[in-house]
């Protein structure tokens, strides 16, 4: 958990102010999503920031990272995190295979 806590502090600084929408921070945020998956942790605010950056910069969209974000949001049911994340993903990307499957799982739950 030490790595996650250290990254959480760094990401917390990134998410304050205008830097939240700086596409240069996307690589750090994507690594943070992977760390959340590996260390069984969850940070909705950071995950939503990643999805928002994907909205603003569609060329940087990563299907695998988005799938991890959706799966982490599913683990937080019955909270509305999954719906929040789903609404931030472009319809064309929602049709991609791993994302479509996760959205189906969300419907079943």
């Amino acid at each position: 958990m030490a790595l996650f806590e250290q990254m959480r502090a760094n990401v917390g600084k990134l998410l304050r102010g205008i830097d939240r929408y700086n596409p240069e921070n996307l690589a750090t945020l994507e690594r943070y999503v992977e760390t959340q998956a590996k260390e069984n942790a969850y940070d909705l605010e950071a995950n939503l920031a990643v999805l928002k950056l994907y909205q603003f910069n569609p060329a940087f969209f990563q299907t695998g990272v988005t799938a991890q974000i959706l799966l982490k949001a599913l683990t937080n049911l019955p909270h509305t995190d999954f719906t929040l994340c789903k609404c931030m993903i472009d319809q064309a990307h929602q049709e991609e295979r791993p994302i479509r499957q996760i959205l189906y799982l969300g419907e079943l739950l």
Side-chain angles (χ1 to χ4, degrees), residues 27-78:
T28 302
L29 292 169
E30 289 170 339
R31 277 194 311 277
Y32 185 55
V33 170
E34 291 174 15
T35 302
Q36 289 177 57
K38 288 177 187 172
E39 302 210 8
N40 197 23
Y42 182 62
D43 187 339
L44 175 64
E45 184 179 359
N47 295 346
L48 290 174
V50 171
L51 295 175
K52 181 58 78 175
L53 281 167
Y54 287 160
Q55 282 182 328
F56 291 152
N57 307 283
F60 295 134
F61 184 85
Q62 297 286 326
T63 303
V65 173
T66 304
Q68 286 180 328
I69 289 171
L70 287 171
L71 287 171
K72 292 303 288 182
L74 269 180
T75 65
N76 206 31
L77 284 174

Side-chain angles (χ1 to χ4, degrees), residues 5-17 20 29 32 43 45-46:
E5 293 302 326
Q6 181 182 9
M7 287 191 81
R8 180 180 213 133
N10 291 337
V11 168
K13 293 174 188 171
L14 285 178
L15 295 179
R16 290 191 194 103
R20 163 184 234 122
L29 292 169
Y32 185 55
D43 187 339
E45 184 179 359

Side-chain angles (χ1 to χ4, degrees), residues 51-108:
L51 295 175
K52 181 58 78 175
L53 281 167
Y54 287 160
Q55 282 182 328
F56 291 152
N57 307 283
F60 295 134
F61 184 85
Q62 297 286 326
T63 303
V65 173
T66 304
Q68 286 180 328
I69 289 171
L70 287 171
L71 287 171
K72 292 303 288 182
L74 269 180
T75 65
N76 206 31
L77 284 174
H79 298 311
T80 60
D81 299 5
F82 183 75
T83 304
L84 283 170
C85 293
K86 176 183 160 186
C87 290
M88 295 183 74
I89 301 169
D90 184 74
Q91 185 63 37
H93 292 301
Q94 288 186 19
E95 300 301 322
E96 294 178 18
R97 189 159 197 267
I99 295 173
R100 184 184 58 214
Q101 291 173 325
I102 296 166
L103 293 177
Y104 178 68
L105 287 174
E107 290 175 20
L108 292 175

